[in-house]
Amino acid sequence: MGRERDLRFRVVTRVQRYLANPVSRRLPFHTLVETTGRTSGLPRRTPVGGRRVGRAFWFVSEYGEKSQYVRNIQADPRVRVRVGGRWHHGTAHLMPEDDPRARLASLPRVNSTAVRLVGTNLLTVRVDLAD
């Protein structure tokens, strides 16, 4: 089972990195989270599916702490989130105590379905928005 999960992770992350994410980042109203690269210090933009609730933005990482953007958040929680074509500054918090499957039920359906299908280590992320 571990080998199958590792293969799925490698295949999905390559498809995301080289095909899906470059296209999604160019769509003006696609939701993005921008982290700071923990090694390069450069901005890294990752398409995510989430929802703003009041002054917070919630989403679920399909690979948890294996995701590069989650590792960037661990190194520097200051992020920006593009929602509805507008950028917001915020502070990201990893929420391992939150039930990610229950959280997915409250988030956009298409992305949530994809995360459930390919995810192997779901992790909820909350971004407290400053503006």
Side-chain angles (χ1 to χ4, degrees), residues 27-47:
L27 300 174
F29 286 96
H30 200 290
T31 303
L32 302 174
V33 63
E34 182 182 82
T35 61
T36 301
R38 62 193 176 282
T39 303
S40 69
L42 298 173
R44 302 295 183 197
R45 293 180 176 174
T46 304

mmCIF file with all atom_site columns, all heavy atoms in Angstrom, residues 27-47:
data_model
loop_
_atom_site.group_PDB
_atom_site.id
_atom_site.type_symbol
_atom_site.label_atom_id
_atom_site.label_alt_id
_atom_site.label_comp_id
_atom_site.label_asym_id
_atom_site.label_entity_id
_atom_site.label_seq_id
_atom_site.pdbx_PDB_ins_code
_atom_site.Cartn_x
_atom_site.Cartn_y
_atom_site.Cartn_z
_atom_site.occupancy
_atom_site.B_iso_or_equiv
_atom_site.pdbx_formal_charge
_atom_site.auth_seq_id
_atom_site.auth_comp_id
_atom_site.auth_asym_id
_atom_site.auth_atom_id
_atom_site.pdbx_PDB_model_num
ATOM 1   N N   . LEU A 1 27 ? -5.293  31.756 -14.946 1.00 0.00 ? 27 LEU A N   1
ATOM 2   C CA  . LEU A 1 27 ? -6.715  32.107 -14.948 1.00 0.00 ? 27 LEU A CA  1
ATOM 3   C C   . LEU A 1 27 ? -6.950  33.201 -13.914 1.00 0.00 ? 27 LEU A C   1
ATOM 4   O O   . LEU A 1 27 ? -6.632  33.022 -12.736 1.00 0.00 ? 27 LEU A O   1
ATOM 5   C CB  . LEU A 1 27 ? -7.564  30.869 -14.641 1.00 0.00 ? 27 LEU A CB  1
ATOM 6   C CG  . LEU A 1 27 ? -7.418  29.712 -15.631 1.00 0.00 ? 27 LEU A CG  1
ATOM 7   C CD1 . LEU A 1 27 ? -8.191  28.500 -15.146 1.00 0.00 ? 27 LEU A CD1 1
ATOM 8   C CD2 . LEU A 1 27 ? -7.877  30.121 -17.020 1.00 0.00 ? 27 LEU A CD2 1
ATOM 9   N N   . PRO A 1 28 ? -7.491  34.346 -14.330 1.00 0.00 ? 28 PRO A N   1
ATOM 10  C CA  . PRO A 1 28 ? -7.548  35.513 -13.434 1.00 0.00 ? 28 PRO A CA  1
ATOM 11  C C   . PRO A 1 28 ? -8.388  35.333 -12.167 1.00 0.00 ? 28 PRO A C   1
ATOM 12  O O   . PRO A 1 28 ? -8.139  35.998 -11.177 1.00 0.00 ? 28 PRO A O   1
ATOM 13  C CB  . PRO A 1 28 ? -8.119  36.619 -14.321 1.00 0.00 ? 28 PRO A CB  1
ATOM 14  C CG  . PRO A 1 28 ? -8.778  35.929 -15.448 1.00 0.00 ? 28 PRO A CG  1
ATOM 15  C CD  . PRO A 1 28 ? -8.068  34.620 -15.637 1.00 0.00 ? 28 PRO A CD  1
ATOM 16  N N   . PHE A 1 29 ? -9.354  34.437 -12.180 1.00 0.00 ? 29 PHE A N   1
ATOM 17  C CA  . PHE A 1 29 ? -10.191 34.302 -10.993 1.00 0.00 ? 29 PHE A CA  1
ATOM 18  C C   . PHE A 1 29 ? -10.001 32.975 -10.271 1.00 0.00 ? 29 PHE A C   1
ATOM 19  O O   . PHE A 1 29 ? -10.763 32.640 -9.384  1.00 0.00 ? 29 PHE A O   1
ATOM 20  C CB  . PHE A 1 29 ? -11.665 34.525 -11.337 1.00 0.00 ? 29 PHE A CB  1
ATOM 21  C CG  . PHE A 1 29 ? -11.950 35.974 -11.580 1.00 0.00 ? 29 PHE A CG  1
ATOM 22  C CD1 . PHE A 1 29 ? -11.963 36.496 -12.854 1.00 0.00 ? 29 PHE A CD1 1
ATOM 23  C CD2 . PHE A 1 29 ? -12.141 36.824 -10.512 1.00 0.00 ? 29 PHE A CD2 1
ATOM 24  C CE1 . PHE A 1 29 ? -12.192 37.838 -13.071 1.00 0.00 ? 29 PHE A CE1 1
ATOM 25  C CE2 . PHE A 1 29 ? -12.364 38.176 -10.707 1.00 0.00 ? 29 PHE A CE2 1
ATOM 26  C CZ  . PHE A 1 29 ? -12.399 38.688 -11.992 1.00 0.00 ? 29 PHE A CZ  1
ATOM 27  N N   . HIS A 1 30 ? -8.957  32.251 -10.631 1.00 0.00 ? 30 HIS A N   1
ATOM 28  C CA  . HIS A 1 30 ? -8.671  31.006 -9.910  1.00 0.00 ? 30 HIS A CA  1
ATOM 29  C C   . HIS A 1 30 ? -8.049  31.375 -8.568  1.00 0.00 ? 30 HIS A C   1
ATOM 30  O O   . HIS A 1 30 ? -7.237  32.285 -8.471  1.00 0.00 ? 30 HIS A O   1
ATOM 31  C CB  . HIS A 1 30 ? -7.720  30.116 -10.708 1.00 0.00 ? 30 HIS A CB  1
ATOM 32  C CG  . HIS A 1 30 ? -7.780  28.686 -10.266 1.00 0.00 ? 30 HIS A CG  1
ATOM 33  N ND1 . HIS A 1 30 ? -7.299  28.266 -9.059  1.00 0.00 ? 30 HIS A ND1 1
ATOM 34  C CD2 . HIS A 1 30 ? -8.287  27.590 -10.859 1.00 0.00 ? 30 HIS A CD2 1
ATOM 35  C CE1 . HIS A 1 30 ? -7.496  26.970 -8.931  1.00 0.00 ? 30 HIS A CE1 1
ATOM 36  N NE2 . HIS A 1 30 ? -8.099  26.531 -10.007 1.00 0.00 ? 30 HIS A NE2 1
ATOM 37  N N   . THR A 1 31 ? -8.414  30.665 -7.527  1.00 0.00 ? 31 THR A N   1
ATOM 38  C CA  . THR A 1 31 ? -7.890  30.932 -6.192  1.00 0.00 ? 31 THR A CA  1
ATOM 39  C C   . THR A 1 31 ? -6.462  30.399 -6.077  1.00 0.00 ? 31 THR A C   1
ATOM 40  O O   . THR A 1 31 ? -6.182  29.261 -6.442  1.00 0.00 ? 31 THR A O   1
ATOM 41  C CB  . THR A 1 31 ? -8.789  30.272 -5.128  1.00 0.00 ? 31 THR A CB  1
ATOM 42  O OG1 . THR A 1 31 ? -10.117 30.760 -5.304  1.00 0.00 ? 31 THR A OG1 1
ATOM 43  C CG2 . THR A 1 31 ? -8.315  30.595 -3.734  1.00 0.00 ? 31 THR A CG2 1
ATOM 44  N N   . LEU A 1 32 ? -5.575  31.265 -5.563  1.00 0.00 ? 32 LEU A N   1
ATOM 45  C CA  . LEU A 1 32 ? -4.172  30.905 -5.387  1.00 0.00 ? 32 LEU A CA  1
ATOM 46  C C   . LEU A 1 32 ? -3.722  31.212 -3.975  1.00 0.00 ? 32 LEU A C   1
ATOM 47  O O   . LEU A 1 32 ? -4.208  32.162 -3.354  1.00 0.00 ? 32 LEU A O   1
ATOM 48  C CB  . LEU A 1 32 ? -3.276  31.723 -6.332  1.00 0.00 ? 32 LEU A CB  1
ATOM 49  C CG  . LEU A 1 32 ? -3.514  31.637 -7.821  1.00 0.00 ? 32 LEU A CG  1
ATOM 50  C CD1 . LEU A 1 32 ? -2.611  32.629 -8.553  1.00 0.00 ? 32 LEU A CD1 1
ATOM 51  C CD2 . LEU A 1 32 ? -3.259  30.230 -8.322  1.00 0.00 ? 32 LEU A CD2 1
ATOM 52  N N   . VAL A 1 33 ? -2.777  30.439 -3.476  1.00 0.00 ? 33 VAL A N   1
ATOM 53  C CA  . VAL A 1 33 ? -2.077  30.786 -2.245  1.00 0.00 ? 33 VAL A CA  1
ATOM 54  C C   . VAL A 1 33 ? -0.623  31.040 -2.648  1.00 0.00 ? 33 VAL A C   1
ATOM 55  O O   . VAL A 1 33 ? -0.033  30.262 -3.394  1.00 0.00 ? 33 VAL A O   1
ATOM 56  C CB  . VAL A 1 33 ? -2.199  29.696 -1.150  1.00 0.00 ? 33 VAL A CB  1
ATOM 57  C CG1 . VAL A 1 33 ? -1.559  28.396 -1.561  1.00 0.00 ? 33 VAL A CG1 1
ATOM 58  C CG2 . VAL A 1 33 ? -1.609  30.180 0.161   1.00 0.00 ? 33 VAL A CG2 1
ATOM 59  N N   . GLU A 1 34 ? -0.101  32.166 -2.190  1.00 0.00 ? 34 GLU A N   1
ATOM 60  C CA  . GLU A 1 34 ? 1.284   32.527 -2.493  1.00 0.00 ? 34 GLU A CA  1
ATOM 61  C C   . GLU A 1 34 ? 2.106   32.430 -1.219  1.00 0.00 ? 34 GLU A C   1
ATOM 62  O O   . GLU A 1 34 ? 1.853   33.130 -0.243  1.00 0.00 ? 34 GLU A O   1
ATOM 63  C CB  . GLU A 1 34 ? 1.363   33.942 -3.055  1.00 0.00 ? 34 GLU A CB  1
ATOM 64  C CG  . GLU A 1 34 ? 2.775   34.350 -3.442  1.00 0.00 ? 34 GLU A CG  1
ATOM 65  C CD  . GLU A 1 34 ? 2.834   35.775 -3.949  1.00 0.00 ? 34 GLU A CD  1
ATOM 66  O OE1 . GLU A 1 34 ? 2.876   36.698 -3.105  1.00 0.00 ? 34 GLU A OE1 1
ATOM 67  O OE2 . GLU A 1 34 ? 2.809   35.956 -5.178  1.00 0.00 ? 34 GLU A OE2 1
ATOM 68  N N   . THR A 1 35 ? 3.082   31.531 -1.246  1.00 0.00 ? 35 THR A N   1
ATOM 69  C CA  . THR A 1 35 ? 4.002   31.362 -0.126  1.00 0.00 ? 35 THR A CA  1
ATOM 70  C C   . THR A 1 35 ? 5.363   31.889 -0.549  1.00 0.00 ? 35 THR A C   1
ATOM 71  O O   . THR A 1 35 ? 5.583   32.218 -1.710  1.00 0.00 ? 35 THR A O   1
ATOM 72  C CB  . THR A 1 35 ? 4.129   29.871 0.259   1.00 0.00 ? 35 THR A CB  1
ATOM 73  O OG1 . THR A 1 35 ? 4.637   29.138 -0.859  1.00 0.00 ? 35 THR A OG1 1
ATOM 74  C CG2 . THR A 1 35 ? 2.796   29.297 0.697   1.00 0.00 ? 35 THR A CG2 1
ATOM 75  N N   . THR A 1 36 ? 6.281   31.942 0.419   1.00 0.00 ? 36 THR A N   1
ATOM 76  C CA  . THR A 1 36 ? 7.658   32.302 0.122   1.00 0.00 ? 36 THR A CA  1
ATOM 77  C C   . THR A 1 36 ? 8.483   31.026 0.138   1.00 0.00 ? 36 THR A C   1
ATOM 78  O O   . THR A 1 36 ? 8.443   30.268 1.117   1.00 0.00 ? 36 THR A O   1
ATOM 79  C CB  . THR A 1 36 ? 8.201   33.297 1.172   1.00 0.00 ? 36 THR A CB  1
ATOM 80  O OG1 . THR A 1 36 ? 7.376   34.460 1.156   1.00 0.00 ? 36 THR A OG1 1
ATOM 81  C CG2 . THR A 1 36 ? 9.639   33.683 0.875   1.00 0.00 ? 36 THR A CG2 1
ATOM 82  N N   . GLY A 1 37 ? 9.204   30.779 -0.948  1.00 0.00 ? 37 GLY A N   1
ATOM 83  C CA  . GLY A 1 37 ? 10.035  29.573 -1.028  1.00 0.00 ? 37 GLY A CA  1
ATOM 84  C C   . GLY A 1 37 ? 11.013  29.512 0.130   1.00 0.00 ? 37 GLY A C   1
ATOM 85  O O   . GLY A 1 37 ? 11.741  30.471 0.380   1.00 0.00 ? 37 GLY A O   1
ATOM 86  N N   . ARG A 1 38 ? 11.032  28.411 0.836   1.00 0.00 ? 38 ARG A N   1
ATOM 87  C CA  . ARG A 1 38 ? 11.847  28.299 2.040   1.00 0.00 ? 38 ARG A CA  1
ATOM 88  C C   . ARG A 1 38 ? 13.338  28.276 1.739   1.00 0.00 ? 38 ARG A C   1
ATOM 89  O O   . ARG A 1 38 ? 14.152  28.615 2.589   1.00 0.00 ? 38 ARG A O   1
ATOM 90  C CB  . ARG A 1 38 ? 11.436  27.075 2.854   1.00 0.00 ? 38 ARG A CB  1
ATOM 91  C CG  . ARG A 1 38 ? 11.626  25.773 2.165   1.00 0.00 ? 38 ARG A CG  1
ATOM 92  C CD  . ARG A 1 38 ? 10.918  24.624 2.897   1.00 0.00 ? 38 ARG A CD  1
ATOM 93  N NE  . ARG A 1 38 ? 11.067  23.404 2.135   1.00 0.00 ? 38 ARG A NE  1
ATOM 94  C CZ  . ARG A 1 38 ? 10.371  23.101 1.051   1.00 0.00 ? 38 ARG A CZ  1
ATOM 95  N NH1 . ARG A 1 38 ? 9.449   23.936 0.608   1.00 0.00 ? 38 ARG A NH1 1
ATOM 96  N NH2 . ARG A 1 38 ? 10.579  21.973 0.417   1.00 0.00 ? 38 ARG A NH2 1
ATOM 97  N N   . THR A 1 39 ? 13.719  27.909 0.531   1.00 0.00 ? 39 THR A N   1
ATOM 98  C CA  . THR A 1 39 ? 15.126  27.903 0.138   1.00 0.00 ? 39 THR A CA  1
ATOM 99  C C   . THR A 1 39 ? 15.456  29.101 -0.745  1.00 0.00 ? 39 THR A C   1
ATOM 100 O O   . THR A 1 39 ? 16.426  29.806 -0.507  1.00 0.00 ? 39 THR A O   1
ATOM 101 C CB  . THR A 1 39 ? 15.472  26.601 -0.612  1.00 0.00 ? 39 THR A CB  1
ATOM 102 O OG1 . THR A 1 39 ? 15.153  25.498 0.233   1.00 0.00 ? 39 THR A OG1 1
ATOM 103 C CG2 . THR A 1 39 ? 16.941  26.546 -0.966  1.00 0.00 ? 39 THR A CG2 1
ATOM 104 N N   . SER A 1 40 ? 14.609  29.339 -1.737  1.00 0.00 ? 40 SER A N   1
ATOM 105 C CA  . SER A 1 40 ? 14.885  30.395 -2.717  1.00 0.00 ? 40 SER A CA  1
ATOM 106 C C   . SER A 1 40 ? 14.501  31.789 -2.232  1.00 0.00 ? 40 SER A C   1
ATOM 107 O O   . SER A 1 40 ? 15.064  32.776 -2.688  1.00 0.00 ? 40 SER A O   1
ATOM 108 C CB  . SER A 1 40 ? 14.119  30.109 -4.013  1.00 0.00 ? 40 SER A CB  1
ATOM 109 O OG  . SER A 1 40 ? 12.715  30.282 -3.796  1.00 0.00 ? 40 SER A OG  1
ATOM 110 N N   . GLY A 1 41 ? 13.499  31.869 -1.353  1.00 0.00 ? 41 GLY A N   1
ATOM 111 C CA  . GLY A 1 41 ? 12.983  33.169 -0.932  1.00 0.00 ? 41 GLY A CA  1
ATOM 112 C C   . GLY A 1 41 ? 12.075  33.805 -1.972  1.00 0.00 ? 41 GLY A C   1
ATOM 113 O O   . GLY A 1 41 ? 11.602  34.929 -1.785  1.00 0.00 ? 41 GLY A O   1
ATOM 114 N N   . LEU A 1 42 ? 11.804  33.084 -3.054  1.00 0.00 ? 42 LEU A N   1
ATOM 115 C CA  . LEU A 1 42 ? 10.961  33.606 -4.130  1.00 0.00 ? 42 LEU A CA  1
ATOM 116 C C   . LEU A 1 42 ? 9.487   33.294 -3.871  1.00 0.00 ? 42 LEU A C   1
ATOM 117 O O   . LEU A 1 42 ? 9.163   32.301 -3.214  1.00 0.00 ? 42 LEU A O   1
ATOM 118 C CB  . LEU A 1 42 ? 11.382  32.989 -5.463  1.00 0.00 ? 42 LEU A CB  1
ATOM 119 C CG  . LEU A 1 42 ? 12.800  33.291 -5.931  1.00 0.00 ? 42 LEU A CG  1
ATOM 120 C CD1 . LEU A 1 42 ? 13.137  32.477 -7.175  1.00 0.00 ? 42 LEU A CD1 1
ATOM 121 C CD2 . LEU A 1 42 ? 12.960  34.782 -6.193  1.00 0.00 ? 42 LEU A CD2 1
ATOM 122 N N   . PRO A 1 43 ? 8.582   34.113 -4.413  1.00 0.00 ? 43 PRO A N   1
ATOM 123 C CA  . PRO A 1 43 ? 7.151   33.811 -4.267  1.00 0.00 ? 43 PRO A CA  1
ATOM 124 C C   . PRO A 1 43 ? 6.786   32.553 -5.043  1.00 0.00 ? 43 PRO A C   1
ATOM 125 O O   . PRO A 1 43 ? 7.250   32.358 -6.174  1.00 0.00 ? 43 PRO A O   1
ATOM 126 C CB  . PRO A 1 43 ? 6.454   35.048 -4.839  1.00 0.00 ? 43 PRO A CB  1
ATOM 127 C CG  . PRO A 1 43 ? 7.477   35.834 -5.551  1.00 0.00 ? 43 PRO A CG  1
ATOM 128 C CD  . PRO A 1 43 ? 8.823   35.352 -5.129  1.00 0.00 ? 43 PRO A CD  1
ATOM 129 N N   . ARG A 1 44 ? 5.986   31.701 -4.429  1.00 0.00 ? 44 ARG A N   1
ATOM 130 C CA  . ARG A 1 44 ? 5.525   30.454 -5.033  1.00 0.00 ? 44 ARG A CA  1
ATOM 131 C C   . ARG A 1 44 ? 4.004   30.448 -5.002  1.00 0.00 ? 44 ARG A C   1
ATOM 132 O O   . ARG A 1 44 ? 3.401   30.507 -3.928  1.00 0.00 ? 44 ARG A O   1
ATOM 133 C CB  . ARG A 1 44 ? 6.057   29.239 -4.281  1.00 0.00 ? 44 ARG A CB  1
ATOM 134 C CG  . ARG A 1 44 ? 7.567   29.176 -4.206  1.00 0.00 ? 44 ARG A CG  1
ATOM 135 C CD  . ARG A 1 44 ? 8.150   29.002 -5.581  1.00 0.00 ? 44 ARG A CD  1
ATOM 136 N NE  . ARG A 1 44 ? 9.600   28.867 -5.518  1.00 0.00 ? 44 ARG A NE  1
ATOM 137 C CZ  . ARG A 1 44 ? 10.377  29.029 -6.561  1.00 0.00 ? 44 ARG A CZ  1
ATOM 138 N NH1 . ARG A 1 44 ? 9.857   29.333 -7.736  1.00 0.00 ? 44 ARG A NH1 1
ATOM 139 N NH2 . ARG A 1 44 ? 11.674  28.884 -6.443  1.00 0.00 ? 44 ARG A NH2 1
ATOM 140 N N   . ARG A 1 45 ? 3.375   30.394 -6.157  1.00 0.00 ? 45 ARG A N   1
ATOM 141 C CA  . ARG A 1 45 ? 1.912   30.440 -6.248  1.00 0.00 ? 45 ARG A CA  1
ATOM 142 C C   . ARG A 1 45 ? 1.359   29.065 -6.575  1.00 0.00 ? 45 ARG A C   1
ATOM 143 O O   . ARG A 1 45 ? 1.756   28.441 -7.548  1.00 0.00 ? 45 ARG A O   1
ATOM 144 C CB  . ARG A 1 45 ? 1.491   31.443 -7.313  1.00 0.00 ? 45 ARG A CB  1
ATOM 145 C CG  . ARG A 1 45 ? 1.830   32.854 -6.912  1.00 0.00 ? 45 ARG A CG  1
ATOM 146 C CD  . ARG A 1 45 ? 1.412   33.855 -7.947  1.00 0.00 ? 45 ARG A CD  1
ATOM 147 N NE  . ARG A 1 45 ? 1.691   35.207 -7.453  1.00 0.00 ? 45 ARG A NE  1
ATOM 148 C CZ  . ARG A 1 45 ? 1.538   36.290 -8.173  1.00 0.00 ? 45 ARG A CZ  1
ATOM 149 N NH1 . ARG A 1 45 ? 1.105   36.213 -9.429  1.00 0.00 ? 45 ARG A NH1 1
ATOM 150 N NH2 . ARG A 1 45 ? 1.805   37.471 -7.650  1.00 0.00 ? 45 ARG A NH2 1
ATOM 151 N N   . THR A 1 46 ? 0.404   28.646 -5.743  1.00 0.00 ? 46 THR A N   1
ATOM 152 C CA  . THR A 1 46 ? -0.197  27.331 -5.876  1.00 0.00 ? 46 THR A CA  1
ATOM 153 C C   . THR A 1 46 ? -1.704  27.462 -5.960  1.00 0.00 ? 46 THR A C   1
ATOM 154 O O   . THR A 1 46 ? -2.324  28.071 -5.078  1.00 0.00 ? 46 THR A O   1
ATOM 155 C CB  . THR A 1 46 ? 0.163   26.448 -4.655  1.00 0.00 ? 46 THR A CB  1
ATOM 156 O OG1 . THR A 1 46 ? 1.585   26.398 -4.531  1.00 0.00 ? 46 THR A OG1 1
ATOM 157 C CG2 . THR A 1 46 ? -0.394  25.048 -4.815  1.00 0.00 ? 46 THR A CG2 1
ATOM 158 N N   . PRO A 1 47 ? -2.335  26.904 -6.999  1.00 0.00 ? 47 PRO A N   1
ATOM 159 C CA  . PRO A 1 47 ? -3.803  26.902 -7.069  1.00 0.00 ? 47 PRO A CA  1
ATOM 160 C C   . PRO A 1 47 ? -4.374  26.024 -5.949  1.00 0.00 ? 47 PRO A C   1
ATOM 161 O O   . PRO A 1 47 ? -3.861  24.932 -5.680  1.00 0.00 ? 47 PRO A O   1
ATOM 162 C CB  . PRO A 1 47 ? -4.098  26.291 -8.435  1.00 0.00 ? 47 PRO A CB  1
ATOM 163 C CG  . PRO A 1 47 ? -2.828  26.444 -9.218  1.00 0.00 ? 47 PRO A CG  1
ATOM 164 C CD  . PRO A 1 47 ? -1.723  26.360 -8.209  1.00 0.00 ? 47 PRO A CD  1
#
